[in-house]
Amino acid sequence: MHDSLVVFTQGLALNKRGSRSAFPSRVSAQDVADKARVSISAVSRTFTEGASVSATMRARVEAAAKVLGFRPNHAARSLVTGRTELIGLVSNHFANPAFLDVFDHFTQQLQARGLRPLLANLAERGGADAALEMMLKYSVDAVLIATSAPPAGFAERCVAAGLPVMHLFGRKGGPAAAPVVTVDNAAAGAEVGKLMFARGLRRLAFLGASRTDMASRDRCRGFERALSKHGCKLVAKHFGGDYSHEHGRQGMHALLDASPEIDGVFCGDDIIALGAMDACRERGIVVPRDISIVGFDDMPLAAWAAYRLTTVRQPIAAMIEQAIAQIATWLVEPDQVPASTIFDAEIVERDSLIAAGVKGRSSAVRRPTVTRRR
């Protein structure tokens, strides 16, 4: 044992050598029992949900606990209930600013239900193995996968290990290893295609994340199909990175190098779109006069004055609330596997899409270029 190990006794915090610690002692359940003049089992029943205890006894125990500043030990209670009240949040998008909104809603919804988060990052090499090991080591009650591109078979491995799993941003009609809470990405992409075509844009391109990312692929598929119904084909599509500003910037430069005539780009998410807009600035291309750009997510940055990005809004707060509510119900009724939920998305128009009735620059006019900044 380490010398710094603290043993609480007689109201004083003492270390192994017997000297006083700077930390105050923690109030125990026995302290509360002594103060309320009840048995320790009465204290336990008072703070155990659903346990039988009289109103008079509960009032005495709660009054004593309030005076002493007692808080139940959830770790100890988990030994009795078999539940840790931990919910794992597993993702590979922690570097994406849009994920901050996800994390904010996730923690709020858990705290409102007396649950706690355990985070695991899939982005590192071997991240899937490490994430699953962590979930099992800390005996999480359930796992929420929050990415459209989890490692292959990850959800199945969690299920095989006995963990209830929900997949946020999963694919509609995809593998049935876990129920999904998502939007119809293909349908949303189709709406973007119809809108951009209606604005007179004809030389269109798609800029997405990795080809293995199903959300990007589905958004592109819906976009492309909507255009084809009007006899319009994509000039170009570019995949090969992640959801990052730098990938959006470099990808936009690649699109413009290969197809300088494009007049509109639908991006796989907002952070890619913001990178694409900055690439246009570097080349002296004016958005939306010369080229229109549409994103996906409606992250807070999209509304900033420097971007004013037209984008597809996912109802993130409602989606996370639904996912956590279903997990909470599932824990109480483990035989009732939740059904998948598909939310509607909507287009939020700002200044990066050319307005109705406004003509863009003619394709006969060559756009200025500048030396790219690396």
Side-chain angles (χ1 to χ4, degrees), residues 89 102 106 144-148 166-171 179-182 316 319-320 323:
L89 178 65
V102 173
F106 175 71
L144 180 63
I145 300 173
T147 173
S148 58
M166 292 286 296
H167 190 176
L168 185 66
F169 312 125
R171 190 184 196 193
V180 301
V181 176
T182 190
I316 298 295
M319 291 166 67
I320 294 174

Side-chain angles (χ1 to χ4, degrees), residues 89-105 119 146-147 169 299:
L89 178 65
V90 181
S91 184
N92 46 17
H93 297 316
F94 285 88
N96 190 330
F99 188 81
L100 293 176
D101 199 32
V102 173
F103 181 59
D104 181 41
H105 291 298
L119 307 182
T147 173
F169 312 125
M299 61 185 284

Side-chain angles (χ1 to χ4, degrees), residues 1 27 42 79 132 144 146 149 194 212 220 272 289 297 306 341 368:
M1 299 177 68
V27 179
L79 297 175
L132 180 56
L144 180 63
K194 288 190 288 185
T212 62
C220 180
I272 290 176
R289 186 195 67 189
D297 280 339
T341 307

